[in-house]
Amino acid sequence: MDGGEIGERLAGFALGPVKAQNAMEILRLSLLDWAAVGIAGRDEPVAGILRAQAEDEGGSPQAGLIGSDLRAPARMAALVNGTVSHALDYDDTHFAHIGHPSVAVIPAALAVGEAVGATGPALQEAALIGVEASIRVGVWLGRAHYQVGYHQTATAGAFGATLAAGRLMGLTPEQMQHAIGLVTTRASGIKAQFGTMGKPMNAGLAASNGVEAAQLAARGFISAPGAMDGQNGFGPTHHGEGQGTAFDTLGQDWLFESVQHKFHACCHGLHATLEALRDLDAPADRVETVEIATHPRWLSVCNIATPESGLQSKFSYRMVTAMALTGHDTARLESFDDALSRDSDLAALRERVRVNSDDSLTEMQARLRVTLKDGSVQDLFHDLDADPGLAARQKRVRTKAAALLGDGRAEAIWQAIEADAPPEEFAALLVR
């Protein structure tokens, strides 16, 4: 499959019918999750900076901004809302390509949906098309693209944002292919930004790049048809592996169904361990040692042995284990404050936690051995890929949203999603 064929395939998918009931149910949960973490991040410093930038630039009041009654051009709204909703790094993740689909795609779809007066079902269908496309493009690029330093949320996400925006704008197949070709020269984002404001902005850039590419294509902008995988195309110049099978079942099977929602306010690499600890049948004062086995890749990501701040605690197996054992709610943002790292009881407990690599485990699994002071042992295991079922997932996402926003506001947003509220009505719920 060459670059022109990939663009044609993606364009056909973007403009085709959506028959995916289960995937749509998951998308609705991601809409709620995205809104909740976005509103919760509205007071982060990066949010204020970008809203001030939007106010200074002005322009057509096409779409709303999270945490403000200001309206801005769709491209700017996508930039602001994409960044703000990723500011807490508490949004959904897909591990097929290690990217955050919703923060790159939903802001683009919502901004364009407001600008063109789309219906609620049209918004949700476009968002589902976009998140699925971002995952597929990410799989096509492969792990080498991520490992060399590109941030898939930003790169693959820009393609998903383009498809979502272009669908809502009613692009023709030819225009959609030009939009896809154009965004190849705009998609960008590197992992060097991790730990800075640039990291969440990568998501905002993906969203705004998608909106801009679709808008220009609608005006007749022409781009290279082989820009995905042709000579000097995006894949070859960005360490893409060219995994051609990535698009084999596009429109039939929905990879988005296995998206992972975060239920702990810390690095996703720690979540399997925290989920396993939910099954522990012993209080902290009975625990002698905890041995954690995890996939080797996480040891370089979230294994800070002695965290010195709340942020570092979010990347520490030993600290989150000590927190979970002593009843600290790892789902709550405020649990990870700087005082945590100075707590002598937690420090003493985390010294009894050992972390080892085990390449027989997947990146989604953790195996724990908890030895109690009476010599008894409890073996725990969790696999994040195990499907808990839609009802269980819905309960946890709605509980998370209520914890972040309060019961009333979370319920109002969920009811709007369930009622297929149009984009402008949905966006109004994000203002304050």
Side-chain angles (χ1 to χ4, degrees):
M1 185 181 292
D2 64 25
E5 290 175 326
I6 292 176
E8 184 177 355
R9 183 74 180 274
L10 286 172
F13 174 62
L15 302 175
V18 178
K19 298 179 180 179
Q21 182 176 350
N22 189 60
M24 183 59 75
E25 292 297 333
I26 302 299
L27 185 278
R28 287 172 177 251
L29 291 180
S30 282
L31 272 171
L32 173 62
D33 188 71
W34 173 82
V37 298
I39 295 169
R42 67 190 182 277
D43 293 327
E44 291 295 298
V46 70
I49 291 171
L50 283 180
R51 285 195 298 265
Q53 180 82 0
E55 185 172 11
D56 284 349
E57 287 191 9
S60 300
Q62 296 174 329
L65 307 181
I66 293 173
S68 171
D69 55 9
L70 180 70
R71 295 181 65 81
R75 181 179 59 82
M76 176 57 81
L79 174 65
V80 173
N81 292 341
T83 303
V84 172
S85 56
H86 196 43
L88 298 175
D89 213 340
Y90 204 5
D91 45 285
D92 61 20
T93 309
H94 204 288
F95 285 90
H97 69 308
I98 313 182
H100 299 267
S102 292
V103 290
V105 173
I106 291 175
L110 182 60
V112 172
E114 283 196 82
V116 303
T119 65
L123 168 67
Q124 294 183 18
E125 288 182 355
L128 180 58
I129 288 284
V131 293
E132 181 70 16
S134 73
I135 298 165
R136 297 285 183 150
V137 170
V139 172
W140 171 70
L141 288 167
R143 190 59 63 89
H145 173 77
Y146 181 82
Q147 291 301 117
V148 80
Y150 290 106
H151 188 195
Q152 287 267 43
T153 300
T155 54
F159 292 92
T162 300
L163 266 61
R167 180 184 177 95
L168 287 164
M169 292 177 65
L171 298 188
T172 67
E174 182 179 8
Q175 288 173 328
M176 185 67 80
Q177 289 181 61
H178 283 304
I180 293 166
L182 178 58
V183 85
T184 63
T185 206
R186 294 288 280 162
S188 60
I190 57 175
K191 292 193 292 183
Q193 297 293 349
F194 285 15
T196 75
M197 291 182 183
K199 203 267 191 179
M201 190 176 181
N202 280 347
L205 289 172
S208 64
N209 285 337
V211 172
E212 182 177 59
Q215 289 177 329
L216 290 173
R219 294 179 182 275
F221 203 100
I222 303 299
S223 68
M228 288 285 286
D229 200 31
Q231 185 177 11
N232 296 323
F234 188 82
T237 59
H238 288 70
H239 291 262
E241 296 177 4
Q243 302 281 356
T245 58
F247 305 107
D248 282 355
T249 60
L250 188 63
Q252 301 167 28
D253 298 326
W254 294 80
L255 299 184
F256 183 71
E257 290 182 2
S258 58
V259 72
Q260 298 287 329
H261 295 102
K262 278 190 169 185
F263 300 121
H264 305 278
C266 56
C267 178
H268 223 138
L270 305 173
H271 287 210
T273 292
L274 288 168
E275 290 296 306
L277 284 167
R278 284 160 58 92
D279 295 329
L280 179 64
D281 184 22
D285 60 7
R286 290 184 56 202
V287 173
E288 182 64 31
T289 61
V290 179
E291 295 180 65
I292 301 170
T294 186
H295 188 276
R297 85 170 298 268
W298 295 121
L299 295 187
S300 63
V301 177
C302 48
N303 193 33
I304 298 175
T306 308
E308 297 179 354
S309 67
L311 178 59
Q312 288 189 354
S313 296
K314 293 185 177 188
F315 295 87
S316 172
Y317 275 104
R318 300 207 309 166
M319 179 59 87
V320 299
T321 298
M323 290 174 64
L325 289 173
T326 52
H328 288 78
D329 188 353
T330 53
R332 301 188 70 84
L333 296 167
E334 57 268 28
S335 293
F336 292 88
D337 62 15
D338 289 343
L340 190 79
S341 59
R342 299 188 293 271
D343 187 298
S344 58
D345 291 337
L346 286 175
L349 184 54
R350 76 183 182 217
E351 291 301 316
R352 303 205 297 273
V353 179
R354 295 193 292 272
V355 185
N356 303 301
S357 66
D358 184 344
D359 58 14
S360 72
L361 297 171
T362 72
E363 295 175 346
M364 309 299 285
Q365 297 173 336
R367 182 179 294 113
L368 281 65
R369 169 156 287 199
V370 182
T371 302
L372 303 182
K373 292 179 178 178
D374 63 5
S376 62
V377 173
Q378 293 187 32
D379 290 315
L380 310 172
F381 175 81
H382 191 81
D383 185 347
L384 293 175
D385 270 335
D387 186 3
L390 181 61
R393 189 195 289 238
Q394 183 183 108
K395 180 179 180 180
R396 292 197 71 180
V397 172
R398 292 182 67 181
T399 298
K400 171 185 172 180
L404 290 172
L405 306 180
D407 291 340
R409 189 168 192 181
E411 182 63 18
I413 293 172
W414 178 242
Q415 290 302 321
I417 293 168
E418 288 278 86
D420 295 329
E424 189 166 353
E425 183 179 325
F426 181 71
L429 296 172
L430 312 180
V431 169
R432 295 295 182 190

